[in-house]
Amino acid sequence: MVQTLIKDNRYNGKYVALKDFNDFTVIGEGTTPQEAYDKAFQKGYTHPVLTFVPVKDMVQIY
């Protein structure tokens, strides 16, 4: 089963910080993982989950 974590297109191509693995509320975003983490940390979240939101229809090679 595929689950969509982020449904808002404004985060495409950015890193986002989420509250935790069960709550996908965006608490920070940025062009780097550090920037997303710092924004979440400033809001009082010490252990956010960081992920990258790919641009729609962009090929991702890992």
Side-chain angles (χ1 to χ4, degrees):
M1 178 171 94
V2 176
Q3 182 176 13
T4 303
L5 301 178
I6 308 296
K7 296 178 182 172
D8 194 337
N9 289 333
R10 67 181 155 165
Y11 299 116
N12 288 354
K14 294 184 179 182
Y15 290 90
V16 296
L18 308 173
K19 281 188 174 182
D20 58 42
F21 287 106
N22 296 315
D23 186 348
F24 304 130
T25 304
V26 176
I27 54 174
E29 54 87 17
T31 56
T32 66
Q34 186 66 50
E35 186 178 346
Y37 176 83
D38 289 343
K39 288 181 181 180
F41 190 79
Q42 290 173 357
K43 293 179 182 177
Y45 297 96
T46 56
H47 296 91
V49 176
L50 295 173
T51 188
F52 179 74
V53 180
V55 176
K56 185 178 179 180
D57 297 329
M58 179 182 198
V59 175
Q60 301 290 317
I61 300 173
Y62 297 95

